[in-house]
Amino acid sequence: MRRRDFFSLLGGAAAWPLAARAQQLTAAPTIGFLTIGLATQMLFVDGFRRGLKEVGFVEGQNVNIEYRSAENDYDRLPSLVDEFIRQHVAVIFANSSTPAALAAKAATTAIPIVFTVGVDPVKYGLVASLARPGGNITGVTFLTSELATKQLEVAHLLLPNASAIGVLVNPKNQYAETDIKNIQDMALRLKKKILVLKVDADRDFDAAFATFVHQGARVLIVPGDSFFYSERETLTALAALYSLPAIYAQREFADRGGFMSYGANIAEANRLAGGYVGRILKGEKAADLPVQQVTKLEFVINLKTAKALGLDIPPSLLARADEVIE
């Protein structure tokens, strides 16, 4: 008997399990996944899915995920959160973005919120304390905002005779000014000239790199920022085009051909956040889940890029690397 005839013979009996499965999926809880950059940043999504799976939730089987991206337009965040509220999502996940987390918190006290952010969430008003976040919100922090000065130290070790160092910042980033101040304070101690350029649109990147080179920057610092992360392919390509060594905050830049990276593992932060979302879906309260901190920092050097730039990495710097890409 042909397969088609077999299912025709079963008729309604065969259709019932399919209908039941569709109904089960429809009844599954829905997570609202909110990001500043492209929603298809698979590193972030994959880490989040791994965390969900570890506590028993698999997208498309017993949980649904609605993805929304502000496409680097911070003003869109409140309307995207409103969409989630209208859809009655079970949990909102604010992906690696303080503005996204703040927008979600401002919009609802009823829907649980889990965040990953690169700042102190107490200082920025997201939670009452790390141990007892309170309210309907908790998450994971990786403190990217404190790493810019460390990147400057690495730049100094790499090129101790460089008189000028470029710094690219996103003026829409809430802790950009803190980064600039910290870098300038460190630069005074190291007797370095700092060239700061503010860029919040991809169309301005090329002109910024040209300006850095024209003003004598020998190395570039790119602090952690969701917008910069979403444009990592453009930034690493321009750094190569202008022969400007750049030090980034996430290892994915080095994986893409960037010169160096020094920062937290955001994929790990999202895995932890996925676990928290799953625990909330199982009935735990966000207020009872302490904010977790990703404390391990990764220092990655791309030797292939270093050779293309004609740079010799000091042995002392190589010895500090967690990974060397050859």
Side-chain angles (χ1 to χ4, degrees), residues 3-19:
R3 186 172 182 271
R4 184 180 61 185
D5 294 335
F6 176 74
F7 281 108
S8 297
L9 180 64
L10 288 179
W16 180 85
L18 297 175

Side-chain angles (χ1 to χ4, degrees), residues 33-42 44-45 67-71 95:
F33 187 107
L34 180 63
T35 185
I36 282 289
L38 297 177
T40 51
Q41 292 174 358
M42 293 310 295
F44 291 162
V45 176
Y67 299 95
R68 296 291 184 274
S69 169
E71 303 294 344
N95 170 42

Side-chain angles (χ1 to χ4, degrees), residues 7-57:
F7 281 108
S8 297
L9 180 64
L10 288 179
W16 180 85
L18 297 175
R21 184 175 182 275
Q23 183 178 5
Q24 182 184 27
L25 185 56
T26 302
T30 297
I31 300 163
F33 187 107
L34 180 63
T35 185
I36 282 289
L38 297 177
T40 51
Q41 292 174 358
M42 293 310 295
L43 168 83
F44 291 162
V45 176
D46 287 347
F48 182 71
R49 287 172 177 158
R50 284 198 303 274
L52 280 173
K53 188 174 182 180
E54 288 171 5
V55 292
F57 289 96

Side-chain angles (χ1 to χ4, degrees), residues 33-252:
F33 187 107
L34 180 63
T35 185
I36 282 289
L38 297 177
T40 51
Q41 292 174 358
M42 293 310 295
L43 168 83
F44 291 162
V45 176
D46 287 347
F48 182 71
R49 287 172 177 158
R50 284 198 303 274
L52 280 173
K53 188 174 182 180
E54 288 171 5
V55 292
F57 289 96
V58 178
E59 183 181 9
Q61 294 184 17
N62 59 352
V63 70
N64 301 309
I65 304 179
E66 287 286 333
Y67 299 95
R68 296 291 184 274
S69 169
E71 303 294 344
N72 299 316
D73 182 354
Y74 289 70
D75 293 336
R76 292 184 58 197
L77 289 169
S79 63
L80 296 177
V81 175
D82 285 343
E83 279 189 48
F84 288 149
I85 294 172
R86 290 195 300 271
Q87 291 176 319
H88 302 289
V89 299
V91 184
I92 295 174
F93 172 52
N95 170 42
S96 302
S97 168
T98 304
L102 288 170
K105 182 181 180 181
T108 179
T109 58
I111 300 174
I113 301 164
V114 176
F115 58 74
T116 50
V117 296
V119 299
D120 178 350
V122 177
K123 178 181 177 181
Y124 282 82
L126 284 170
V127 296
S129 73
L130 298 182
R132 298 180 180 276
N136 61 321
I137 186 167
T138 188
V140 183
T141 177
F142 43 89
L143 296 181
T144 296
S145 63
E146 297 181 357
L147 296 174
T149 54
K150 296 294 185 181
Q151 291 173 283
L152 179 56
E153 289 180 26
V154 171
H156 176 66
L157 290 172
L158 174 68
L159 295 170
N161 296 322
S163 58
I165 296 174
V167 181
L168 190 69
V169 297
N170 175 9
K172 293 182 179 179
N173 187 311
Q174 288 185 303
Y175 44 84
E177 293 304 321
T178 300
D179 276 346
I180 293 172
K181 183 181 183 305
N182 290 340
I183 289 174
Q184 288 174 335
D185 289 344
M186 177 64 74
L188 283 174
R189 291 196 292 271
L190 297 176
K191 298 181 180 179
K192 298 290 184 183
K193 177 183 176 183
I194 296 297
L195 306 173
V196 177
L197 291 182
K198 299 179 179 181
V199 176
D200 59 10
D202 56 1
R203 63 179 178 274
D204 297 326
F205 282 140
D206 188 59
F209 274 81
T211 300
F212 281 133
V213 172
H214 178 71
Q215 294 189 6
R218 295 277 309 282
V219 63
L220 173 66
I221 293 172
V222 182
D225 181 86
S226 296
F227 168 51
F228 292 159
Y229 184 93
S230 68
E231 297 291 338
R232 59 193 179 280
E233 291 188 10
T234 299
L235 289 171
T236 53
L238 285 170
L241 178 65
Y242 284 93
S243 299
L244 187 61
I247 303 172
Y248 308 92
Q250 291 96 15
R251 66 159 299 135
E252 289 73 37

